Amino acid sequence: MARDEINAFLGAGTNYQGKLHFQGAVRIDGNFQGEVVSEGTLVVGQEAVVDGLVKVGQLVLSGKLKGEVEAKDKVVLHKTANLQGNIKTPSLVVEEGAVLEGELAMGSRSVGSDAQPKNES
């Protein structure tokens, strides 16, 4: 993703705490603690540390993330990624070297709502 496509940039050496809501794409290279909610893309840089709830359209992780992740479209874990927590997403891309400690739930976007129990009679 090119830098000119990113709407906001939370730089290295900075600390943020609270709730982050955005449209488009945001890149975090510093430390963030709290809640991130967006239909857009969250890019977590290699030196970044994110702690909290992440509900986004797409997550691209190169740094560290501790918490719950729910991505509507896709999660990408680059080789330097370290994720401690649970992921819920329809699509997951993991590069060799990435670390994932937690549970993974995958399926289509309508998982659960259309599920019908089998009739065994």
Side-chain angles (χ1 to χ4, degrees):
M1 174 173 284
R3 284 195 180 265
D4 59 350
E5 296 177 19
I6 295 175
N7 296 342
F9 181 78
L10 310 179
T14 56
N15 295 302
Y16 300 91
Q17 187 172 4
K19 293 183 179 182
L20 175 62
H21 297 266
F22 64 89
Q23 294 180 359
V26 167
R27 181 178 174 108
I28 297 175
D29 280 329
N31 297 323
F32 182 89
Q33 183 176 8
E35 180 178 308
V36 180
V37 179
S38 176
E39 293 290 318
T41 300
L42 176 65
V43 179
V44 179
Q46 189 171 341
E47 301 300 318
V49 177
V50 175
D51 187 352
L53 174 66
V54 176
K55 292 180 80 172
V56 293
Q58 180 173 312
L59 171 67
V60 179
L61 180 65
S62 296
K64 294 182 180 179
L65 192 152
K66 183 176 182 181
E68 300 294 313
V69 174
E70 186 173 330
K72 183 179 175 183
D73 298 318
K74 178 167 55 170
V75 172
V76 178
L77 302 179
H78 288 294
K79 63 183 177 182
T80 55
N82 184 319
L83 195 152
Q84 296 178 353
N86 300 326
I87 300 175
K88 182 177 180 183
T89 184
S91 177
L92 176 67
V93 178
V94 182
E95 288 184 359
E96 184 176 352
V99 175
L100 170 59
E101 296 178 21
E103 295 183 12
L104 171 64
M106 291 181 67
S108 67
R109 295 181 191 166
S110 61
V111 168
S113 61
D114 297 325
Q116 297 292 328
K118 289 184 179 179
N119 186 355
E120 297 183 13
S121 7

